[in-house]
Amino acid sequence: SAVTIGKSITLDLNGHAVSGASSCTVYVHGSQGEANVVIRNGTITNSSDAAPHAVVLVRYGAFMKLENAQLADAAANGSSYGYGILAGQTGDASTPAIVLEGDETSVEGSFAGIALFGCVSDPTSLEMNAGTVSGWYYGIAGNGASDGVDIVVNGGRGGGP
């Protein structure tokens, strides 16, 4: 089962790894109130073949920052709907915000590195300041302003295989 984070914390992995093989390895949500989460200095993986699955699922208004953290979807490339980060969901009352910091940050997905779903009145946002995002089909996937997604890239690198 997933590591569930529903409050504000800093998760410093200190070079260690967390792994899982379910619909998500880490679930970050703000459904019980404010959740400002920082994940740093380690690796989180998901080896599920189920579709869809994510290394980290972020929903319900949560804020998540990655600092020199590595997220890796270990499913075979293109074989399933696997995401490094899956953020937001159609119908959520409030949408999440994600920030990527640190040159050592990487987000990899077997389908897309990051997939964003939002709502027009409360956009899901991604701010990429450093790091690398990659996926078999998409580095970053989101339908822009018409679907309530706000993506800002100030640095880093993204793409496919």
Side-chain angles (χ1 to χ4, degrees), residues 39 64-69 71 85 99-102 105-107:
I39 300 173
M64 183 185 74
K65 181 190 284 188
L66 295 181
E67 294 177 350
N68 293 314
L71 307 181
I85 299 172
V99 175
L100 305 182
E101 298 278 354
T105 293
S106 63
V107 180

Side-chain angles (χ1 to χ4, degrees), residues 78-160:
S79 67
S80 65
Y81 286 92
Y83 305 97
I85 299 172
L86 180 56
Q89 186 72 35
T90 303
D92 281 359
S94 59
T95 55
I98 297 162
V99 175
L100 305 182
E101 298 278 354
D103 292 337
E104 299 301 315
T105 293
S106 63
V107 180
E108 302 172 9
S110 60
F111 188 81
I114 300 174
L116 305 165
F117 297 90
C119 70
V120 175
S121 63
D122 187 17
T124 295
S125 66
L126 169 66
E127 180 181 332
M128 183 173 175
N129 296 314
T132 303
V133 177
S134 61
W136 187 255
Y137 293 103
Y138 307 99
I140 300 170
N143 288 333
S146 67
D147 194 33
V149 172
D150 185 20
I151 300 169
V152 176
V153 178
N154 297 316
R157 189 166 92 49

